[in-house]
Amino acid sequence: MNAMLSRVADSLYWMSRYLERADHVARQLDVHLTIVTEQAVDAARRRRRRLITCLVDEKEHAAAESSDYELADLLTFDEDNPSSIVNCIAAARENARQVREQINSQMWEQINQMHLTVRSQSMQSLWNGQPHSFYHWINQEVYRFQGITDSRITRDQGWHFIQIGRYLERASETADSLNVDFRELYASGLEIDAIDQQTYLDWVGLLRGCAAYEAYSKVYAANVQPRHIVEFLLLNPNFPYSVHFGINRIQSSLQVVGEETETPKSARVYRLGGRLRAMLDYAQVDEIMESGLGSYLLNIQNQCGQIHQAIYETYIAYSIEDKLKAA
């Protein structure tokens, strides 16, 4: 993989990660704004605090805590917030622009139209109109982009870097959401299987925030139980938003990229992915809960970070010595 291909891989990887992040933020906001209308004031405040913990930089916490309007504005249109929807889509578009020759024309048209539409909106008009429709539209447009990507370009190295970016972002987000929600429940002194009307809404919100409620209900017949939720979002190998599914996809793409590029140190990247995949392959939910769910989820997030760093060191920013060896 030469320097030019490294830049292409970098742009495709981040294009995919930023779009996945925009999709996640939009869904979390939509679910939050729906559920808080049905919760008591204290429960709604706790839910907002959890969302802030997951999605907002620590230095912005105070501003986001004041109201749902301020939180939505920060996460949707704030140009000083790198994880706001408008910034994520702009960053994805810029990465796509840099590799226009490598992607399908419909992919470019789709992401460019998303960018232009979001830029034409404002928080005030959105709040006075239909915020749920807007966030749902973001989700649908990201899905459309992913559908175009998976149906219109060849399964070459570029496609695999898009998959790695998508699923690494998604696995990290799901693990983070699980960790934050369960940490608060433990801190409140509730038994892990204790569910009342307010906590029921929180568990359903967790599933919906991970695009999982309908799929979960088909497996568990709408029996909302925390252990089942952990098992489904963490260990289910067949659900596209579970951590296990995402890591399986990452490992498959890392294998293809490693075989095709023969880049020095590619074995290390594959080994890191394989270690995390094996950890999930043989995990049992009861053992995870007994040994400590929080530490398990933090371990997953740390390993996702290690995989990201290894991808950069191996395929995107590897040293001149490694480039000469690969020549």
Side-chain angles (χ1 to χ4, degrees):
M1 180 176 287
N2 59 35
M4 180 189 71
L5 291 180
S6 296
R7 290 194 296 271
V8 170
D10 187 34
S11 292
L12 293 174
Y13 173 82
W14 279 111
M15 175 192 74
S16 187
R17 286 201 72 154
Y18 277 122
L19 279 181
E20 188 67 30
R21 194 171 301 174
D23 173 61
H24 179 71
V25 172
R27 190 185 312 104
Q28 291 286 348
L29 277 171
D30 188 24
V31 170
H32 174 72
L33 294 176
T34 300
I35 287 180
V36 292
T37 61
E38 304 175 43
Q39 289 187 308
V41 173
D42 287 345
R45 187 179 297 114
R46 288 195 299 271
R47 159 164 275 282
R48 185 193 306 145
R49 203 160 49 232
R50 290 201 306 277
L51 196 62
I52 290 169
T53 301
C54 286
L55 301 179
V56 178
D57 188 271
E58 188 172 353
K59 66 179 182 295
E60 302 286 353
H61 279 198
E65 286 179 357
S66 59
S67 70
D68 286 328
Y69 178 92
E70 296 297 335
L71 174 62
D73 188 29
L74 179 69
L75 291 174
T76 307
F77 293 112
D78 192 327
E79 297 197 10
D80 293 327
N81 174 15
S83 293
S84 69
I85 292 172
V86 68
N87 277 342
C88 284
I89 292 176
R93 176 186 179 274
E94 176 58 23
N95 279 284
R97 186 191 64 78
Q98 293 179 21
V99 289
R100 283 193 63 176
E101 298 80 7
Q102 307 294 325
I103 63 175
N104 181 272
S105 60
Q106 287 184 301
M107 291 169 65
W108 168 251
E109 291 169 5
Q110 174 69 10
I111 199 168
N112 191 49
Q113 187 58 52
M114 286 179 64
H115 170 73
L116 295 174
T117 301
V118 171
R119 285 287 179 183
S120 69
Q121 304 291 319
S122 70
M123 194 65 234
Q124 187 64 50
S125 62
L126 193 67
W127 199 256
N128 293 334
Q130 296 290 333
H132 298 294
S133 296
F134 174 79
Y135 295 124
H136 181 70
W137 175 84
I138 293 289
N139 296 145
Q140 295 302 307
E141 294 303 298
V142 173
Y143 300 155
R144 185 171 289 114
F145 179 88
Q146 293 171 344
I148 294 170
T149 301
D150 290 345
S151 62
R152 292 300 181 96
I153 65 174
T154 58
R155 266 43 172 185
D156 58 9
Q157 293 174 27
W159 183 83
H160 283 289
F161 273 104
I162 291 172
Q163 301 306 299
I164 293 168
R166 178 192 304 175
Y167 287 106
L168 196 56
E169 182 73 22
R170 189 178 293 181
S172 298
E173 289 164 347
T174 300
D176 190 37
S177 295
L178 272 170
N179 189 29
V180 170
D181 277 23
F182 271 83
R183 186 169 64 228
E184 177 168 309
L185 284 175
Y186 281 132
S188 67
L190 293 176
E191 295 293 332
I192 187 58
D193 291 318
I195 295 181
D196 57 23
Q197 182 178 2
Q198 294 301 321
T199 55
Y200 173 83
L201 290 174
D202 284 328
W203 294 122
V204 170
L206 173 60
L207 288 167
R208 287 180 174 166
C210 296
Y213 182 70
E214 290 188 22
Y216 172 92
S217 298
K218 287 179 171 61
V219 175
Y220 296 102
N223 181 19
V224 177
Q225 293 293 330
R227 289 178 189 270
H228 292 165
I229 292 173
V230 173
E231 186 174 47
F232 190 73
L233 291 180
L234 187 56
L235 301 178
N236 191 297
N238 301 313
F239 176 60
Y241 281 83
S242 80
V243 175
H244 195 180
F245 184 98
I247 298 305
N248 285 347
R249 286 299 184 95
I250 292 166
Q251 181 72 345
S252 297
S253 287
L254 286 174
Q255 180 177 5
V256 173
V257 172
E259 290 173 350
E260 292 187 358
T261 60
E262 298 183 352
T263 300
K265 296 190 285 190
S266 61
R268 175 173 174 265
V269 187
Y270 185 73
R271 185 171 64 253
L272 287 171
R275 183 177 66 185
L276 181 51
R277 180 176 181 173
M279 188 177 94
L280 293 162
D281 280 343
Y282 299 104
Q284 297 291 325
V285 66
D286 289 338
E287 293 177 358
I288 293 171
M289 301 299 292
E290 289 172 7
S291 62
L293 177 63
S295 59
Y296 191 90
L297 292 168
L298 286 174
N299 186 17
I300 288 173
Q301 291 176 273
N302 289 336
Q303 290 194 53
C304 285
Q306 291 172 19
I307 293 170
H308 164 79
Q309 185 63 33
I311 288 169
Y312 252 72
E313 292 173 353
T314 304
Y315 298 115
I316 296 171
Y318 53 96
S319 68
I320 186 64
E321 290 80 6
D322 287 337
K323 292 177 185 178
L324 290 173
K325 291 177 184 178

